[in-house]
Amino acid sequence: MKIAPISEELFQRAQHSIPGGVNSPVRAFRAVGGNPRFMVSAKGAYMFDEDGNRYIELINSWGPMILGHAADIVQEAVQKAIPDSLSFGAPTRKEIEIAELIVDLVPSIEKVRMVNSGTEATMSAIRVARGYTGRNKMIKFEGCYHGHGDSFLIAAGSGAITLGVPDSPGVTQGVAADTLTAPFNDLEAVKTLVEANKNQIAAIILEPVAGNMGLVLPAPGFLQGLRDLCTKEGIVLIFDEVMTGFRLAPGGAQQLYGVTPDMTTLGKIIGGGMPVGAYGGKKEIMDFVAPAGPVYQAGTLSGNPIAMSAGMAMLQYLQSHREVYTNLEQTTSSMVTGMRENMQQLGLNYTINHVGSMFSIFFTEQPVTDFESAKTSDTAQFGRYFNSMLQRGIYLAPSQYESLFVSTAITDDLVQEYLQANREALEEAAR
Ligand code: KE4
């Protein structure tokens, strides 16, 4: 049994000076019970907590560590950049180089602005879409999470679900009135909203593959249907690829599914673990962004040289090692096959959704295609499963409503170790 007395002591102490003891709600284990582990280091597939416990981990800092933790190429790039100071607040060559690389890797992006988080990226993208169209409303999808910007905390996914208050206090009625929501994968519901709000909708924003209600894939025709609708109605189609960008393919979900948005938001992998977000899209839209255009957006540390060095090293590696994606797909598929075999032997029939190097087990026997079906999951059983896996040294996302991420550091041996723990934990949780 893995115990963590030092983490427990630190968690008690943390709550005196940090709200809930964490700097992001989902880390507090509220959805699964127990106390969070305080980590001290990570390398490759492993993380190590204050009590010396080692975990095979499948969160990868919620996506960025696609090459495993402390990837040498990223560490070296950061160590090389540090002596030249950590920040200038002035333009640098590195910002041009990473912008050109993103433009090269994601054809729908003609111009891109770097920011410091996914939240900043989506907040900014919506503001630009509103400035560009002169319209106020936006459509998002139930269960999708686009960061904690006011406009998005309506029927939000990720940590907002686990708090049981998807609509956060502090979001004004005025803001909420401009955010319309539809069920994910329900194109007819979107069409109805568009008809009822003719010429008032600036943007439709979605995770093209939803990772924040657990992993939910786009139904055939859904993405293209949105594309066609937005083209017809003059609505800006925004793919929030903060999670899927450079994760599902070099060009993200839009490459995988062959649907081109007008704008894209990015984060996580593009920082290589450093705080980086970005938003980009068509030149005619992005030229509305100050100082080129009238829509204001700024950031003291945007394009920070250390963060750009980390992100550049990560993206250059992924650009020149495309085999990463087929290898990750193979590893993930072997994990999914093994989990399904485990469930069959145990007489269980839970739903697993997966694509590329992302997957989720839903503790429900229903297909999971949207937020409502995701919520048929037995979250108490998920909590038991999570803690059983934690005790066996497997670190999962502490919520049913999150996706898991496989890194290139997950070897065949680690797949077998994971599957052994999965079988035992499924059996234990089912009791
Ligand atoms: P950040 O502000 O957390 O960098 O990005 C917000 C965001 C935007 N869009 C998508 C699709 C995202 O998944 C996220 C953030 N993802 C969550 C994980 N579900 C971050 C984990 C956390 O909140 O601690």
Side-chain angles (χ1 to χ4, degrees):
M1 285 290 279
K2 288 192 180 292
I3 57 170
I6 298 175
S7 281
E8 298 214 10
E9 177 210 325
L10 288 172
F11 189 47
Q12 298 315 316
R13 176 179 155 197
Q15 293 178 71
H16 295 294
S17 54
I18 305 170
V22 291
N23 281 313
S24 198
V26 71
R27 302 176 191 172
F29 281 23
R30 288 281 178 98
V32 293
N35 295 326
R37 299 302 196 268
F38 282 66
M39 300 299 171
V40 290
S41 71
K43 180 68 180 174
Y46 299 109
M47 271 204 300
F48 302 87
D49 73 12
E50 288 272 359
D51 294 281
N53 296 311
R54 188 190 77 173
Y55 303 92
I56 296 170
E57 79 103 9
L58 293 159
I59 304 185
N60 288 296
S61 183
W62 301 96
M65 306 306 186
I66 190 170
L67 302 178
H69 282 281
D72 294 342
I73 46 119
V74 176
Q75 303 283 106
E76 286 155 18
V78 169
Q79 283 152 7
K80 183 165 177 279
I82 283 174
D84 296 335
S85 182
L86 303 185
S87 179
F88 308 122
T92 63
R93 177 191 298 270
K94 286 177 183 172
E95 292 163 84
I96 305 170
E97 290 169 347
I98 198 167
E100 289 173 345
L101 184 51
I102 290 171
V103 166
D104 182 42
L105 289 170
V106 188
S108 69
I109 295 178
E110 295 176 331
K111 285 192 178 180
V112 62
R113 167 63 60 85
M114 305 310 287
V115 293
N116 300 285
S117 70
T119 293
E120 268 194 270
T122 55
M123 281 169 63
S124 308
I126 282 295
R127 186 183 307 135
V128 173
R130 285 172 164 152
Y132 171 72
T133 59
R135 301 176 182 177
N136 294 337
K137 293 182 188 291
M138 60 167 254
I139 295 176
K140 76 173 286 291
F141 292 88
E142 294 155 12
C144 281
Y145 178 71
H146 304 291
H148 63 85
D150 281 3
S151 299
F152 303 112
L153 288 181
I154 315 292
S158 185
I161 305 176
T162 61
L163 293 179
V165 281
D167 299 327
S168 166
V171 176
T172 66
Q173 277 310 314
V175 167
D178 283 337
T179 298
L180 309 173
T181 61
F184 193 74
N185 278 326
D186 187 341
L187 193 55
E188 289 313 308
V190 179
K191 288 177 178 173
T192 302
L193 282 175
V194 170
E195 278 311 305
N197 297 273
K198 204 76 175 165
N199 299 323
Q200 297 176 59
I201 296 171
I204 295 178
I205 186 170
L206 73 155
E207 300 172 57
V209 169
N212 287 291
M213 50 182 124
L215 186 74
V216 177
L217 306 186
F222 177 61
L223 298 178
Q224 190 56 52
L226 291 174
R227 173 64 281 165
D228 297 342
L229 180 63
C230 287
T231 303
K232 175 169 165 284
E233 300 286 339
I235 295 172
V236 175
L237 179 59
I238 304 174
F239 277 6
D240 178 357
E241 297 223 41
V242 166
M243 195 180 264
T244 55
F246 309 106
R247 164 69 57 182
L248 294 184
Q254 58 196 269
Q255 176 187 330
L256 192 64
Y257 291 94
V259 176
T260 302
D262 302 307
M263 295 180 81
T264 300
T265 54
L266 297 166
K268 297 180 190 280
I269 287 174
I270 67 169
M274 295 291 285
V276 180
Y279 65 99
K282 286 177 178 170
K283 198 180 306 192
E284 67 180 277
I285 300 176
M286 291 304 292
D287 280 344
F288 266 71
V289 180
V295 179
Y296 196 70
Q297 181 270 313
T300 304
L301 296 174
S302 296
N304 170 274
I306 309 302
M308 295 301 101
S309 300
M312 195 70 185
M314 174 68 84
L315 295 187
Q316 283 174 329
Y317 184 90
L318 293 173
Q319 182 186 39
S320 54
H321 295 77
R322 305 286 172 117
E323 72 280 4
V324 160
Y325 296 98
T326 44
N327 294 344
L328 285 172
E329 167 74 44
Q330 285 162 2
T331 302
T332 308
S333 296
S334 65
M335 293 170 78
V336 171
T337 303
M339 286 189 280
R340 288 193 168 131
E341 285 167 2
N342 286 345
M343 284 198 272
Q344 196 172 26
Q345 287 161 17
L346 294 167
L348 302 171
N349 186 28
Y350 303 135
T351 293
I352 299 178
N353 287 349
H354 70 105
V355 60
S357 55
M358 298 172 70
F359 72 92
S360 289
I361 305 176
F362 292 93
F363 283 74
T364 178
E365 295 190 353
Q366 283 191 38
V368 177
T369 57
D370 61 12
F371 192 25
E372 284 313 307
S373 46
K375 287 195 290 185
T376 65
S377 304
D378 181 338
T379 53
Q381 188 161 6
F382 174 85
R384 294 196 298 275
Y385 172 75
F386 170 86
N387 281 291
S388 290
M389 290 291 267
L390 192 67
Q391 298 307 337
R392 289 171 171 79
I394 311 291
Y395 194 75
L396 306 176
S399 163
Q400 169 68 83
Y401 304 114
E402 295 289 354
S403 176
L404 295 176
F405 303 94
V406 179
S407 78
T408 55
I410 299 291
T411 60
D412 292 346
D413 289 351
L414 293 181
V415 167
Q416 293 314 312
E417 192 172 339
Y418 168 85
L419 289 173
Q420 180 57 38
N422 166 262
R423 178 180 165 73
E424 293 168 5
L426 281 173
E427 188 169 29
E428 210 169 84
R431 280 187 203 130

